[in-house]
C-alpha cells in the first residue's frame, strides 16, 4: 500500500501538483517509515512548496536511515541554500559529492555556495572606523560612523566580471515538445565541453582557449527528461535540446521566484526570457526564431519513427493533447500496473486499483530485497 501511494505521489510530482504529492508522500511514510527515498522525495516536494525547514527535517531523516544517500544531502543543501545559509549548504553538497563523485551538479552547487559566501563576506565587512584615542565626543563620533556606514551601504559596488572572460551570448526558444538552449560560441571541441542535464537544472561548462571556464547554470521552470534530451555541437554554437516532461508552453526558462532573464556568474550578455531572441545587432542577418521553432515542430511531427519509438511518440502525443482526466488516468494506470497497463479512461480506473497485466507468456513477480 505504501509503495502504491509513493508511486501516485511521484506521478503527482511529475504533473507539478506538489501539494497533492506532499500529501501522498506523507501517507506513504505513515504506511512505511523505513524508506529513505520516501523522505527524500517529500523533501523535494517541500522545496517546491518553499517549505524549506520541513525539507531539511525530511532530508535529515533520510540521512539517518541511509547515510549514503547522496540525494538526501542534495535536498538538504538546496533547502539551506534557499534560506541563504550558504556555509551549511556547502557542507551538505560536499558530503553528497563525496558519496556520488559522478554527480557534477553537486560540484556546481558547491561553487555557487562559494560565490555567495564571498559576496556575503564582502557585504558584511564591519566599518574599521572607531573612536579616536585621546578624547573627543564619543556620541558625535558614533553618529559620524553611522552616517559613514549608511553611505557605504548605499554605494556598494558589485565586483565586475573578470576581464579575461569573454562575453558569450546565449538564447532559448521552444517547440511543443522541447526547449532549446543555444550558446553562441564557435568551434568548441568535444573534449572542452561538459553538459550536465538534470530534471530541473542545466549546467553548461566550456573550457576556453584562455584556460578559464565559461559556465551557464540554469534552474529550469519545469521538469525535463534528461535521457531524451540531445546535445548538438555545431561550428557556430552549442545547442542543447531539452525534452519537456509535459507538452506545455513555458512562460520563462527559469523557475518561479527567480528573475526571468538567464543568469550566469562572471559572464554577461544574457537575454530576457520574454524577449524574442535575435543575433547580435552587428550582424546583417537576423533569424526569425518563431518561424524556426515552427519548422522544427513540423519536422518532429512529420518524422517517421518505427517500432517502440513510434509507440512512445504516440503515447507522448496522447498525453500532451489529453485533458487533465486523460493525463491522470494514464499516470495512475501506468504506476499501479507496474507499467503493464496504460489507460486514458478515468471513469473506468479512477475509483479502483489497476491490476498488473503482464504480456502473454510472461509472469509478474514482486522484487524482494
Amino acid at each position: 500500500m505504501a509503495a502504491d501511494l509513493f508511486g501516485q505521489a511521484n506521478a503527482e510530482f511529475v504533473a507539478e501538483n506538489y501539494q497533492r504529492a506532499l500529501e501522498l508522500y506523507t501517507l506513504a511514510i505513515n504506511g512505511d517509515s523505513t524508506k529513505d527515498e520516501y523522505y527524500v522525495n517529500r523533501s523535494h516536494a517541500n522545496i517546491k512548496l518553499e517549505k524549506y525547514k520541513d525539507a531539511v527535517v525530511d532530508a535529515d531523516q533520510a540521512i539517518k536511515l541511509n547515510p549514503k544517500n547522496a540525494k538526501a544531502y542534495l535536498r538538504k543543501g538546496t533547502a539551506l541554500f534557499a534560506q541563504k545559509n550558504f556555509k551549511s549548504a556547502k557542507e551538505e553538497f560536499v558530503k553528497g559529492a563525496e558519496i556520488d563523485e559522478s554527480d557534477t551538479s553537486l560540484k556546481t552547487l558547491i561553487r555557487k555556495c562559494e560565490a555567495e559566501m564571498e559576496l556575503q563576506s564582502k557585504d558584511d565587512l564591519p566599518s574599521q572606523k572607531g573612536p579616536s584615542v585621546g578624547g573627543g565626543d564619543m556620541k558625535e563620533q558614533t553618529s559620524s560612523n553611522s552616517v559613514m556606514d549608511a553611505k557605504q551601504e548605499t554605494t556598494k559596488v558589485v565586483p565586475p566580471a573578470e576581464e579575461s572572460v569573454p562575453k558569450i551570448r546565449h538564447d532559448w526558444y521552444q517547440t511543443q515538445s522541447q526547449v532549446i538552449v543555444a550558446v553562441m560560441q564557435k568551434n568548441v571541441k568535444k573534449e572542452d565541453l561538459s553538459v550536465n542535464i538534470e530534471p530541473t537544472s542545466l549546467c553548461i561548462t566550456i573550457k576556453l582557449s584562455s584556460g578559464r571556464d565559461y559556465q551557464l547554470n540554469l534552474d529550469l521552470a519545469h521538469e525535463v527528461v534528461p535521457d531524451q534530451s540531445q546535445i548538438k555541437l555545431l561550428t557556430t554554437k552549442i545547442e542543447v535540446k531539452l525534452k519537456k516532461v509535459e507538452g506545455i508552453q513555458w512562460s520563462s526558462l527559469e523557475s518561479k521566484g527567480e528573475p526571468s532573464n538567464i543568469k550566469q556568474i562572471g559572464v554577461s550578455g544574457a537575454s530576457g526570457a520574454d524577449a524574442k531572441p535575435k543575433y547580435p545587432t552587428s550582424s546583417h542577418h537576423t533569424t526569425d526564431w518563431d518561424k524556426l521553432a515552427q519548422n522544427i515542430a513540423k519536422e518532429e511531427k512529420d518524422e517517421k519513427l518505427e517500432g517502440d519509438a513510434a509507440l512512445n511518440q504516440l503515447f507522448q502525443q496522447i498525453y500532451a493533447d489529453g485533458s487533465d482526466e486523460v493525463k491522470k488516468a494514464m499516470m495512475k494506470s501506468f504506476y499501479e500496473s507496474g507499467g503493464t497497463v496504460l489507460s486514458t479512461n478515468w471513469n473506468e480506473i479512477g475509483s479502483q486499483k489497476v491490476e498488473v497485466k503482464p504480456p502473454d507468456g510472461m509472469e509478474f513477480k514482486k522484487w524482494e530485497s
Side-chain angles (χ1 to χ4, degrees), residues 22 36 39-65 71-86 88-90 92-93 95:
L22 180 66
D36 54 297
Y39 289 96
V40 168
N41 285 21
R42 189 171 74 171
S43 178
H44 199 183
N46 275 316
I47 289 171
K48 289 293 186 180
L49 294 169
E50 299 182 3
K51 298 180 178 180
Y52 303 121
K53 292 183 179 179
D54 291 341
V56 171
V57 172
D58 279 339
D60 279 334
Q61 183 60 29
I63 292 168
K64 183 178 179 181
L65 291 169
K71 279 192 176 181
Y73 295 101
L74 171 63
R75 301 293 178 241
K76 184 176 180 180
T78 301
L80 291 169
F81 188 94
Q83 297 176 81
K84 300 189 184 302
N85 190 346
F86 304 121
S88 297
K90 178 187 173 183
E92 300 304 321
F93 292 143
K95 292 175 185 176

Side-chain angles (χ1 to χ4, degrees), residues 170 181 183 202-205 214-218 262-264:
H170 52 273
V181 179
V183 178
L202 169 66
C203 176
I204 301 175
T205 304
Y214 163 89
Q215 194 168 83
L216 176 63
N217 297 307
L218 300 173
I262 301 174
K263 300 178 299 178
Q264 56 194 69

Side-chain angles (χ1 to χ4, degrees), residues 195-263:
V195 179
N196 183 54
I197 305 172
E198 298 291 337
T200 58
S201 65
L202 169 66
C203 176
I204 301 175
T205 304
I206 305 172
K207 190 170 186 61
L208 305 175
S209 57
S210 63
R212 295 188 177 276
D213 287 347
Y214 163 89
Q215 194 168 83
L216 176 63
N217 297 307
L218 300 173
D219 295 320
L220 302 173
H222 302 281
E223 291 201 359
V224 298
V225 185
D227 294 341
Q228 296 182 30
S229 298
Q230 300 175 355
I231 303 166
K232 282 191 175 181
L233 188 57
L234 307 174
T235 57
T236 57
K237 63 182 177 180
I238 299 156
E239 196 172 76
V240 181
K241 293 185 175 182
L242 304 171
K243 176 67 177 179
K244 295 179 179 178
V245 170
E246 288 189 283
I248 60 175
Q249 190 77 6
W250 290 21
S251 59
S252 63
L253 179 61
E254 292 192 283
S255 61
K256 296 176 182 178
E258 296 289 343
S260 60
N261 60 305
I262 301 174
K263 300 178 299 178

Side-chain angles (χ1 to χ4, degrees), residues 156-167:
K156 287 177 183 175
V157 179
V158 178
E162 297 184 40
E163 293 182 0
S164 57
V165 180
K167 296 180 180 179

Side-chain angles (χ1 to χ4, degrees), residues 13 19 48 93-94 111 113 136 144 156-157 193 203 329 352 354:
F13 188 94
Q19 182 59 45
K48 289 293 186 180
F93 292 143
V94 169
R111 290 194 292 269
C113 287
S144 175
K156 287 177 183 175
V157 179
L193 175 65
C203 176
Q352 59 186 0
V354 181

